Amino acid sequence: MTQVSSEGFGTLPDGRPVRRFTLSSDSVTLRVLSFGAILTSLETKDRDGQTADIVLGFDNLEGYINKHPYFGAVIGRVANRIAEGKFSIDGKDYQLPINNGPNSLHGGLKGFDKVLWTPEVVPNGVRFSMTSADGEQGYPGELKVWVTYVLNGEELAINYKAKTTKTTPINLTNHSYFNLAGHGTPKIYDHEVSIEAESYLPVDKTLIPTGEIASVMNTYFDLRNPVLLGSHIENKLTEGFDHNFCLSFSKQRSPCARVFHQPSGRLLEVETTQPGIQFYTANFLDGSLKGKEGATYPKHSAFCLETQNWPNAVNKKNFPDALLRPGEEYNHTTWFKFSVRQ
Ligand code: BGC
């Protein structure tokens, strides 16, 4: 049984109150806000039963209201980049606000991470809903969105549903930054990662996929067997990972990634219905943010496993369909399982 409780977590500048929900099972306790549907903490045990909070974040609401690198947030209407913020649907051209070099990133100037969602307690979890207006941040159609966090024992499931009144691109994910040694530990180099992908998307210098679906074979992107991030990042991909790995198009629940932290014994296993996973090793963190409990978060102090559609899919015919049409339901789930190994 998961205990669900809630409390106030400050007010927005316009006076609206934010609530924080705590979901607690025998082995995992997590907290999530009605603002941005942000996962603010996730406590799990190591092999000796010691608890640590393994996601990056802030102590108070102000940290999340200010500009930050999307710690723990739900990202939408379209996660990752759309090249030059442009796309066209049924012959009509759309221009989104540009907020990342020449591109549109993570939903634009005010993405779903900056929205106050409506919470509702559900069995073993909490559901957040919101409506994104027709034309908001340049996107067509009124979009209704539901994001549900459910904790069962050691497994967190995040389900994303949406419906639209006009055809729109959509790509929803959660942007948690994990460090299995505990947030505030300076590097993730002692983590072993594997991703079950036979191909990945090479990117240009603005991080837009070139369009090529490249085999991982004989490259640094072959993570089908576990690699130690230290030797991989320090000696090979020195900037770190910020790449989409291509998964099955089947929409069936499938294992996609596994991260093991030998010193603590913590193991994270990820399964998803999504066709892609953005593996990002926090390359743009620079230690300047003041995190929870006074922690600082330098480059490579966390990793993100953002299960989602492929970046810029709305502009690429050979990428999975990025459009949601009226009458259809967007429905994806990702499962994160937290356990320990010797
Ligand atoms: C992107 C990174 C970006 C980060 C924070 C990730 O999803 O792939 O390029 O820096 O989000 O915005």
Side-chain angles (χ1 to χ4, degrees):
M1 256 307 279
T2 296
Q3 308 291 327
V4 181
S5 60
S6 78
E7 63 197 338
F9 192 70
T11 51
L12 296 174
D14 63 12
R16 287 177 301 162
V18 172
R19 290 204 75 75
R20 179 169 72 172
F21 291 80
T22 301
L23 277 49
S24 209
S25 72
D26 284 347
S27 55
V28 177
T29 295
L30 63 92
R31 295 189 176 79
V32 54
L33 301 183
S34 57
F35 181 69
I38 295 172
L39 183 72
T40 60
S41 69
L42 207 159
E43 289 160 22
T44 70
K45 295 192 174 91
D46 68 8
R47 66 163 74 80
D48 300 321
Q50 296 295 317
T51 297
D53 179 358
I54 58 165
V55 293
L56 279 52
F58 302 106
D59 281 327
N60 52 42
L61 184 59
E62 207 189 340
Y64 294 105
I65 293 173
N66 293 338
K67 194 172 156 54
H68 70 96
Y70 305 90
F71 286 161
V74 165
I75 309 295
R77 190 177 293 199
V78 175
N80 211 282
R81 293 174 179 81
I82 294 181
E84 296 176 0
K86 291 184 200 302
F87 59 89
S88 64
I89 296 175
D90 299 332
K92 189 166 177 212
D93 295 335
Y94 293 88
Q95 177 67 60
L96 307 174
I98 300 304
N99 63 340
N100 185 259
N103 304 316
S104 172
L105 176 71
H106 293 336
L109 302 173
K110 186 185 175 206
F112 293 179
D113 58 297
K114 294 282 192 251
V115 167
L116 186 63
W117 297 61
T118 303
E120 177 196 352
V121 171
V122 297
N124 297 337
V126 57
R127 172 176 303 139
F128 299 102
S129 58
M130 58 90 82
T131 301
S132 165
D134 186 4
E136 201 171 290
Q137 294 298 312
Y139 288 103
E142 183 184 272
L143 186 78
K144 286 198 160 44
V145 187
W146 297 265
V147 174
T148 311
Y149 288 80
V150 168
L151 179 65
N152 273 313
E154 46 189 28
E155 186 175 86
L156 166 66
I158 311 180
N159 171 259
Y160 306 83
K161 282 194 177 138
K163 288 192 163 183
T164 185
T165 58
K166 291 180 189 161
T167 303
T168 178
I170 183 169
N171 190 18
L172 305 176
T173 192
N174 176 282
H175 207 308
S176 287
Y177 287 69
F178 297 97
N179 183 324
L180 301 184
H183 82 99
T185 309
K187 293 288 178 238
I188 47 165
Y189 296 160
D190 54 1
H191 289 56
E192 281 169 37
V193 176
S194 52
I195 296 182
E196 296 197 20
E198 286 171 14
S199 50
Y200 79 104
L201 302 179
V203 288
D204 69 17
K205 59 179 185 314
T206 74
L207 298 177
I208 293 290
T210 59
E212 183 196 355
I213 300 169
S215 168
V216 298
M217 193 86 85
N218 300 322
T219 74
Y220 298 152
F221 298 90
D222 191 346
L223 306 181
R224 290 172 294 179
N225 289 312
V227 302
L228 186 66
L229 283 178
S231 58
H232 220 69
I233 295 182
E234 286 175 307
N235 306 329
K236 298 171 184 166
L237 265 177
T238 50
E239 269 314 299
F241 290 92
D242 193 356
H243 295 84
N244 177 81
F245 287 79
C246 307
L247 307 173
S248 137
F249 285 28
S250 72
K251 295 196 178 156
Q252 299 301 309
R253 174 175 179 162
S254 318
C256 62
R258 187 177 188 276
V259 184
F260 180 53
H261 182 244
Q262 170 62 40
S264 67
R266 286 196 181 85
L267 174 67
L268 166 59
E269 290 164 290
V270 185
E271 300 191 351
T272 191
T273 59
Q274 291 275 15
I277 185 164
Q278 184 78 12
F279 179 40
Y280 172 56
T281 47
N283 313 332
F284 296 116
L285 292 187
D286 60 8
S288 60
L289 291 167
K290 189 167 176 291
K292 288 181 281 191
E293 300 154 328
T296 52
Y297 301 133
K299 182 172 175 171
H300 300 157
S301 63
F303 63 90
C304 303
L305 290 167
E306 301 157 69
T307 48
Q308 54 184 250
N309 198 347
W310 305 1
N312 200 30
V314 68
N315 290 310
K316 292 280 180 227
K317 290 220 162 46
N318 57 334
F319 286 9
D321 185 12
L323 297 179
L324 179 70
R325 297 160 189 86
E328 293 176 350
E329 183 186 63
Y330 178 91
N331 188 347
H332 277 289
T333 307
T334 295
W335 295 263
F336 297 94
K337 187 174 156 202
F338 305 95
S339 58
V340 286
R341 293 284 185 278
Q342 281 316 308

